[in-house]
Amino acid sequence: MLLEHGTRRLHITKVTARPTREWAGQQARNPADLGMRIESLRFLLRDRDGKYGEAFDTVFKAEELEVILSAPRVPRMSTRCERITGSVRREMPDHVLIVNEAHARQILAVYRRHYNAHRPHQARQQPPPDAKERPDATVHDLNARRALRTQILGGVISEYRYIA
């Protein structure tokens, strides 16, 4: 997973049960698969996991991004990444039985769409990353508008929006 700090936009990489250095390096070479805008990024903050080797860092350095390693045993240095990892774990695998890698990819794609298009973000004063404009929070007549609930992933997540 990659998280853009400023927009809070979530990008999901490929899924594998056993990530290796070679696999992580290949994921770094495929930012177009994620829909990322590399030119808008300035640095990459990553942990010191062994699966991120020199090939992984070289890809980002070639794009003139500064690669910053988090300090050992300091999870507060990457709080946003820790937060999104925790959110995904709490909202997904704890409630959905994932059968295989293809199923995991499908579930994560649905979650990414929900996270970027519907889920409120406190750091952004509630609008999701893909919101074009801030929704009107003023409700003049509670009976004039009805809410429509859409269940995502079999009801694990609910999305609400007003209908006419």
Side-chain angles (χ1 to χ4, degrees), residues 8 38 49 57-58 67 77 89-91 94 117 120 124-125 128 131-132 147:
R8 299 298 198 272
I38 288 286
D49 193 317
D57 291 347
T58 302
V67 177
M77 190 168 181
R89 284 187 175 152
R90 278 186 302 278
E91 296 175 19
D94 286 355
R124 302 187 75 238
Q125 288 72 47
K132 302 292 187 248

Side-chain angles (χ1 to χ4, degrees), residues 19-162:
T20 62
R21 278 185 180 217
E22 294 75 25
W23 181 85
Q26 184 59 46
Q27 300 317 302
R29 287 186 213 93
N30 298 330
D33 292 351
L34 302 172
M36 287 186 67
R37 300 171 314 280
I38 288 286
E39 64 276 358
S40 67
L41 306 177
R42 296 182 321 201
F43 59 89
L44 171 75
L45 173 63
R46 70 167 183 83
D47 62 18
R48 296 172 177 267
D49 193 317
K51 70 179 164 263
Y52 305 115
E54 193 60 36
F56 184 87
D57 291 347
T58 302
V59 171
F60 292 100
K61 288 177 182 175
E63 294 289 337
E64 299 178 357
L65 269 73
E66 180 182 358
V67 177
I68 302 171
L69 300 179
S70 63
R73 299 181 188 166
V74 183
R76 290 179 61 174
M77 190 168 181
S78 59
T79 55
R80 281 156 188 83
C81 293
E82 296 293 334
R83 172 76 175 140
I84 185 59
T85 301
S87 292
V88 169
R89 284 187 175 152
R90 278 186 302 278
E91 296 175 19
M92 298 302 309
D94 286 355
H95 303 284
V96 177
L97 178 61
I98 297 175
V99 183
N100 55 30
E101 289 180 19
H103 187 227
R105 280 191 292 276
Q106 179 184 15
I107 296 292
L108 287 170
V110 170
Y111 184 79
R112 181 192 51 79
R113 281 192 301 273
H114 165 73
Y115 186 90
N116 289 336
H118 296 282
R119 189 175 188 273
H121 292 263
Q122 188 174 12
R124 302 187 75 238
Q125 288 72 47
Q126 301 309 336
D130 291 345
K132 302 292 187 248
E133 58 189 46
R134 189 177 175 95
D136 182 22
T138 307
V139 177
H140 300 288
D141 181 10
L142 293 176
N143 296 323
R145 293 168 54 168
R146 292 184 37 227
L148 174 67
R149 175 179 156 200
T150 305
Q151 293 184 339
I152 306 296
L153 297 171
V156 172
I157 298 172
S158 294
E159 296 177 351
Y160 298 90
R161 63 183 155 275
Y162 287 115

